[in-house]
Amino acid sequence: MRFSTTELMIMAMAAGAKARYLSPPNPWVGALVVSERGVVLSEGHTQVPGASHAEVDALRRAGEQARGATLVVTLEPCVHVGRTGPCVEAIIEAGIARVIIGTIDPDPRVSGAGVALLKASGVDVELGIEEELVRAQLAPYIWHRVTGRPYVVAKIASTLDGVVAMADGSSQWITGEEARRDAHVLRAQSQAVLVGAGTVRKDDPVLTARLGDLVLEPLRVVLGTAPEGARIRPCLELSGDLGHVLDELANHDVLQLLVEGGPTTTAAFLEAGLVNHLVWYQAPAFAGGNGTLGALKSLTTPTMSALRRGRVADVRRIGDDIRIDVEV
């Protein structure tokens, strides 16, 4: 069976998804080596920092069969020397005849130079295959390279009427076990998780990402000062302008920041226009007047013209709850 370029890019994206937890601060890229007859000879993905990029991983698995074949890769191959050598050189040396690329790498050290060198070396290049999907998969990396700041995901869990805690302050657990497991995937995809000092005092969270037997430890960030003995320690304590907070986290190689604080912290990031993506878990429960903490109680919207609008990217059921993804 001969696959279309669209099908091949989707397969390369699936390979890249395997690197989501292990490759940052490098992008989670996927690659395939495909024979002249359309047979997928190998797949590869970005390894841990300092190890192989996706192209080299796929080329190594293909071996001599790569000569004259096609390489399908989600992101433009690099041309610079970092922790590893340039992927473009490896592609040329392997004798690849054609390269199909999802999107240009916005990193100024690459940004079209990889494509240009491949073409100059006689390699046929096809660019922009399933680009919208690829850019969505790599959104945190692309945002970080373009703006110099982390891509911010804010997470909220509430009742259907928007309440995140009851009158007595209790909030564990509004959503069910399946939704909570899904939230741990968000943590695992993020290089840092941020909460306010009030959340640390009230809930004493650990903020690790627990995926069955796999436990990941993103950088734990507290706005303010964490109390002595808090389970979140060790942590990075920051304060002041939220833009400066993001600048500092960029210096720690944070591509994606998960804001998992209470209503005040989440509202502050939204108020400042610093949220890229909002994940809202809603339980089929109703708190009414007994719920004193609204999900975004401190967010100010004086007029209809000031109303913040996003785009619903996805809505799906998780256990008994629903997850709504909004691009802000």
Side-chain angles (χ1 to χ4, degrees), residues 22-327:
L22 61 91
S23 71
N26 293 330
W28 35 101
V29 178
L32 307 175
V33 176
V34 184
S35 75
E36 294 178 82
R37 298 179 60 185
V39 177
V40 177
L41 301 172
S42 67
E43 73 168 43
H45 57 73
T46 313
Q47 303 298 306
V48 296
S52 300
H53 288 187
E55 302 93 320
V56 173
D57 188 35
L59 290 171
R60 183 178 61 248
R61 296 173 190 272
E64 284 301 314
Q65 296 181 90
R67 193 159 300 277
T70 294
L71 178 74
V72 182
V73 61
T74 55
L75 186 68
E76 178 185 16
C78 65
V79 293
H80 61 285
V81 177
R83 294 186 179 97
T84 61
C87 288
V88 167
E89 289 185 6
I91 293 168
I92 295 169
E93 290 174 5
I96 288 290
R98 181 187 183 207
V99 178
I100 298 173
I101 301 170
T103 191
I104 289 287
D105 188 341
D107 189 314
R109 296 171 296 178
V110 187
S111 195
V115 169
L117 184 53
L118 287 170
K119 289 181 176 179
S121 301
V123 179
D124 182 31
V125 177
E126 188 172 354
L127 179 65
I129 304 303
E130 290 302 311
E131 185 166 22
E132 186 175 344
L133 288 178
V134 170
R135 291 182 68 86
Q137 184 181 50
L138 296 172
Y141 168 78
I142 292 172
W143 178 264
H144 181 272
R145 289 301 187 268
V146 171
T147 69
R149 286 180 170 177
Y151 182 89
V152 178
V153 177
K155 186 213 97 176
I156 296 172
S158 77
T159 61
L160 204 57
D161 55 345
V163 171
V164 299
M166 303 303 104
D168 63 357
S170 60
S171 60
Q172 297 179 342
W173 299 101
I174 288 177
T175 54
E177 185 176 347
E178 292 91 339
R180 298 199 298 276
R181 280 201 300 265
D182 189 72
H184 278 269
V185 174
L186 284 179
R187 288 183 186 173
Q189 292 174 341
S190 306
Q191 292 72 60
V193 180
L194 180 147
V195 296
T199 295
V200 178
R201 288 191 296 270
K202 181 171 70 73
D203 295 338
D204 195 20
V206 179
L207 298 186
T208 55
R210 300 180 290 280
L211 305 175
D213 294 333
L214 177 65
V215 179
L216 301 175
E217 295 196 17
L219 175 65
R220 272 85 42 109
V221 184
V222 176
L223 283 184
T225 303
E228 291 295 330
R231 295 192 300 165
I232 200 174
R233 292 190 178 277
C235 63
L236 178 63
E237 296 170 326
L238 298 173
S239 60
D241 179 80
L242 294 181
H244 293 159
V245 167
L246 294 184
D247 292 336
E248 176 62 25
L249 293 178
N251 294 333
H252 288 265
D253 287 333
V254 175
L255 301 185
Q256 178 169 300
L257 169 67
L258 177 62
V259 175
E260 203 173 336
T264 301
T265 299
T266 304
F269 273 90
L270 281 167
E271 193 88 65
L274 297 175
V275 176
N276 299 90
H277 194 99
L278 179 66
V279 178
W280 197 314
Y281 298 97
Q282 289 192 326
F286 310 92
N290 289 326
T292 60
L293 294 178
L296 297 172
K297 187 176 181 180
S298 61
L299 193 65
T300 58
T301 308
T303 64
M304 185 60 69
S305 61
L307 189 65
R308 296 162 182 80
R309 294 187 184 274
R311 185 186 75 85
V312 175
D314 188 34
V315 179
R316 63 183 184 271
R317 181 172 176 175
I318 301 180
D320 291 330
D321 307 311
I322 60 171
R323 168 176 165 165
I324 306 172
D325 284 67
V326 178
E327 294 176 355

